[in-house]
Amino acid sequence: MGTTGQGQAGRDVDEVNVAPVRRRSAVRVLLAALRLTVVSAVTGGALAALVVAVIIKDVPVFLTGGGVLVVLIAIGVVAGRRSPAGEEPPAGRIALARIEDLRATSGESADVPVTFRLTVAPDDRPAYRVKIEQHINLVDIPAYRPRGIAVVEYHPDEPWKVLIVTRPTAEWSRRAEEAEIDSAPESTLVVSPDMSEGSWCMLTLFAFLAGAALVVLLFRGELFTPGDGDGAAAKPPSSSSSSTSRTFSTSTTVSGPSTSLLTFGVMRVTAMELEARVDTAYVTAITIEDHRMAVRGDSTRPVSETVHLQSLPYELFPGLVREARTTLGVGDLRSWRIDVTPGSGAGAGPRIRVTVTGKEGTAHLDADATGRVTDRRAVGESG
């Protein structure tokens, strides 16, 4: 007598009422995945908040992260202890199944994992195919062979959950010996819509890292901005020259014991360097000493009240220093200084003052933009 599960061999899997079951299971999987994503992301964010709070020394952030972790732990404990009221696990049903194929793999114990391909033939619905893996004792493996009939337990709401009954009752054993089941078509194969264990792990890890990264991004300013412990902004550069300042000043020093600004050509080269540094040739004051040149400026001053750095006769300045030393009574020169300022009056050129100091005292010499001496004040003279 052929038992085919009410003509199941020629019917499609939709007729097994598997599609509605799959849809219900897919909804459950989606809700579970959403719940797992939220919990993992919140957990990652809370742990990241604790670490960030320790780094930036922020007590409110630390308390917030710790509080969220405590709440999550409490919810997990309560949910684990609460028994689902009115929810019973779906009861399994007994049916016969045709063994289409089986493959056993080696094991380290008496129970060997065996992969079965079955045609399950319930009494109240069409037959369908399923692939399962079950551990079978080595002694019982010869009882299962292709095209043989086995007694199985299946779940109507989750037809992919099938378990071979290794010790069936006498009645089901008799039915299995007498039954003949036709193979169901491959199109009736049902599989679990649930994600694999590896997919759940990947989802958990991704959500955890995303939550942690979000918290780090929110506090990236405090974490990655250099500054002191109080989070103050970094101090501006020590250079007194700035493109946004209305006034500026800068200086440079000629290094080397044998190098002096009186060396031919050194003054002009140094002036060019200072011009590049302040990004303008118009300054309000120039100071030149033996190894140092400095400039000051004011961007609000008109050009007529400034000095153009490259218009000065630097090549004549060493001669003015020598003349001031020899003609103004300074025999033992200890230091010298040249001050250049804008001339007073309309059309007046820059004013050049040479100051020399020795053991005899200090003397001054004034010159115009061409290097011509316009005034002298020897040692001891006042005015």
Side-chain angles (χ1 to χ4, degrees):
M1 179 177 64
T3 303
T4 60
Q6 299 179 1
Q8 72 279 14
R11 299 191 183 183
D12 191 76
V13 68
D14 290 337
E15 300 181 75
V16 194
N17 299 322
V18 175
V21 174
R22 281 179 173 172
R23 286 194 291 268
R24 291 195 296 271
S25 181
V27 171
R28 290 196 296 269
V29 171
L30 180 61
L31 294 177
L34 182 61
R35 182 169 58 251
L36 179 62
T37 300
V38 173
V39 173
S40 301
V42 173
T43 303
L47 290 175
L50 292 179
V51 176
V52 169
V54 172
I55 295 176
I56 67 177
K57 300 178 182 179
D58 194 320
V59 176
V61 174
F62 184 86
L63 295 178
T64 301
V68 172
L69 284 180
V70 171
V71 172
L72 289 176
I73 294 174
I75 293 176
V77 171
V78 173
R81 292 182 177 181
R82 182 176 60 85
S83 58
E87 294 184 6
E88 296 292 338
R93 295 185 182 181
I94 304 300
L96 298 179
R98 173 189 171 97
I99 301 175
E100 303 292 347
D101 187 21
L102 73 159
R103 184 176 67 257
T105 57
S106 60
E108 298 179 356
S109 61
D111 292 335
V112 178
V114 181
T115 301
F116 290 92
R117 294 181 64 88
L118 306 173
T119 292
V120 181
D123 291 335
D124 57 350
R125 62 174 61 188
Y128 62 92
R129 284 208 180 200
V130 70
K131 181 179 180 180
I132 65 170
E133 182 176 299
Q134 184 173 335
H135 285 73
I136 303 296
N137 193 279
L138 283 172
V139 178
D140 298 329
I141 287 183
Y144 303 99
R145 62 188 185 280
R147 295 183 298 278
I149 305 300
V151 180
V152 299
E153 178 183 357
Y154 75 99
H155 296 271
D157 291 336
E158 298 174 325
W160 49 86
K161 291 186 177 180
V162 177
L163 180 67
I164 292 179
V165 180
T166 57
R167 298 292 182 266
T169 63
E171 179 183 357
W172 280 102
S173 295
R174 179 183 55 80
R175 290 185 59 179
E177 292 175 357
E178 298 175 353
E180 293 182 3
I181 301 176
D182 297 331
S183 299
E186 287 289 343
S187 61
T188 63
L189 179 67
V190 296
V191 294
S192 173
D194 295 342
M195 292 192 300
S196 64
E197 184 176 342
S199 299
W200 287 111
C201 293
M202 289 298 297
L203 178 62
T204 302
L205 178 62
F206 178 79
F208 181 90
L209 294 178
L214 178 61
V215 172
V216 173
L217 288 175
L218 290 176
F219 292 93
R220 64 186 182 277
E222 292 84 346
L223 287 172
F224 303 114
T225 300
D228 54 20
D230 297 331
K235 294 182 179 180
S238 57
S239 173
S240 57
S241 175
S242 173
S243 60
T244 59
S245 301
R246 299 182 66 85
T247 61
F248 58 86
S249 64
T250 187
S251 64
T252 186
T253 302
V254 179
S255 60
S258 60
T259 304
S260 171
L261 285 172
L262 293 178
T263 303
F264 183 81
V266 176
M267 284 190 190
R268 187 169 296 279
V269 172
T270 306
M272 294 174 63
E273 294 176 358
L274 293 176
E275 177 182 344
R277 187 179 301 178
V278 299
D279 197 25
T280 180
Y282 295 95
V283 297
T284 57
I286 305 172
T287 301
I288 306 174
E289 297 174 308
D290 195 24
H291 294 283
R292 178 177 177 273
M293 178 181 290
V295 296
R296 296 191 305 274
D298 186 347
S299 58
T300 62
R301 297 278 291 272
V303 175
S304 60
E305 298 179 7
T306 61
V307 177
H308 194 281
L309 279 171
Q310 297 305 321
S311 66
L312 297 176
Y314 295 107
E315 292 75 16
L316 302 179
F317 286 0
L320 293 176
V321 174
R322 289 192 296 270
E323 182 175 351
R325 174 186 176 184
T326 56
T327 63
L328 301 181
V330 179
D332 186 9
L333 182 64
R334 295 180 179 178
S335 64
W336 61 269
R337 174 173 171 170
I338 301 175
D339 293 290
V340 183
T341 56
S344 58
R351 177 187 177 189
I352 303 171
R353 165 162 286 194
V354 180
T355 303
V356 291
T357 303
K359 64 179 181 179
E360 297 86 356
T362 301
H364 303 285
L365 181 150
D366 294 336
D368 58 18
T370 63
R372 182 177 61 87
V373 177
T374 59
D375 188 24
R376 292 183 176 87
R377 189 172 299 121
V379 174
E381 294 184 0
S382 60

